[in-house]
Each structure stands twice: as structure tokens, then as C-alpha cells.
Amino acid sequence: MLLPAGLSTTDEEQWVRRMLERLAAKEQRKRPSDDDLLDRARELSARYLDGRAAPSSVRWVENQLHRWGSCTPDHGTIRLSVRLRGMPAWVVDYVIMHELVHLLVPSHGPRFWALVERYPKAERARGFLEGFSMAASGTPEEC
Ligand SMILES: [Zn+2]
């Protein structure tokens, strides 16, 4: 880290602390917490699903390497792969949206996709994730 010249030791410590706090805040914005995810899920449900999908929790999980997201409709819980961290918010929102719709419709039938398509960037986000999977593993994946 480059320090401005001419700082006293105390100023220097304060400056470093401030920079670290700023970095942590930036990191925080880039990687929404589980609570942030739940807020976003509720917003998406209200905006696109008339609030019908009522998630009880949304959290990041480490052990999901072959799917972007999963859910347990009986409990209203949604899990997102940590691999989505750092991806654009509209892509993460798409995966949340996909899982929200699964809370209402378990299978990938026409009724399912009709609801998913209410999210305006659904098509684009699917393309993004497909491209990402193909580049990473050579196989497309879906949840
Ligand atoms: Zn699915």
C-alpha cells in the first residue's frame, strides 16, 4: 500500500485503518450478505411474482459445484453457489428469481418458464451463465 509522505505514525495508522475499512465496505457491496440476498429475493418476488413466492432464507453455500442455485420449497429456503459471488447483480438476481419460481413450480415446464421470463434479463442471464459454465468446465449447467 502506498502511503502519503509526511504522515506521523498515528496519522499513518489512522490512514491505514480508514483505507482498510473502505476496502472492506467495497468488498461488502460486491458480495452481498445472506441478509442482503433475502431482501433482494423478497423484492424480486414482490415485483415479478406478485409476492407469491415467500422465501424464508437465502444463503451462500460452498458445496454446490454443479448447480448455481437450489431450493427446498417446503421450507422456503434458497441456496446459491458461492461461484456466483462477484458476478453482475442482474445475473445473481436471475438465479434468485429461478429459485423463487421453483418455490411455486417444482419442474421446468412451460408454467415455470413463463414465470421466470417475467424477469426482463432472464434470457441474457441464462446466456451469461451458460457461457461461463462452458468456459469453466465444458458443460452447460442448469439448476
Ligand atoms: Zn431450475
Side-chain angles (χ1 to χ4, degrees):
M1 190 180 296
L2 274 175
L3 290 172
L7 287 181
S8 71
T9 315
T10 322
D11 284 347
E12 201 176 284
E13 279 171 9
Q14 277 178 3
W15 193 83
V16 168
R17 197 175 320 126
R18 222 169 38 233
M19 286 305 290
L20 289 176
E21 277 167 11
R22 215 175 286 169
L23 277 174
K26 207 167 148 192
E27 190 67 7
Q28 188 60 38
R29 278 200 300 276
K30 226 169 43 189
R31 300 186 165 187
S33 68
D34 291 358
D35 284 344
D36 295 336
L37 291 177
L38 181 58
D39 285 347
R40 273 159 73 170
R42 288 185 169 146
E43 250 176 66
L44 288 164
S45 176
R47 189 178 311 171
Y48 300 114
L49 300 169
D50 312 310
R52 278 186 298 140
S56 59
S57 79
V58 184
R59 55 191 185 85
W60 296 111
V61 291
E62 308 264 355
N63 61 353
Q64 207 161 257
L65 296 176
H66 302 288
R67 290 190 297 182
W68 295 113
S70 65
C71 65
T72 308
D74 285 349
H75 301 117
T77 54
I78 292 174
R79 292 162 298 277
L80 300 184
S81 169
V82 291
R83 291 176 312 145
L84 288 165
R85 276 180 169 172
M87 287 196 190
W90 55 271
V91 174
V92 178
D93 282 354
Y94 164 74
V95 179
I96 295 176
M97 180 73 187
H98 186 116
E99 299 308 326
L100 282 172
V101 176
H102 272 316
L103 296 183
L104 306 172
V105 186
S107 63
H108 291 142
R111 214 161 70 83
F112 175 86
W113 291 116
L115 288 173
V116 169
E117 295 305 324
R118 290 184 180 185
Y119 178 65
K121 290 181 176 152
E123 191 63 50
R124 216 175 128 204
R126 267 208 306 279
F128 184 100
L129 291 170
E130 235 163 68
F132 192 90
S133 308
M134 294 295 281
S137 64
T139 49
E141 50 198 302
E142 185 60 72
C143 41

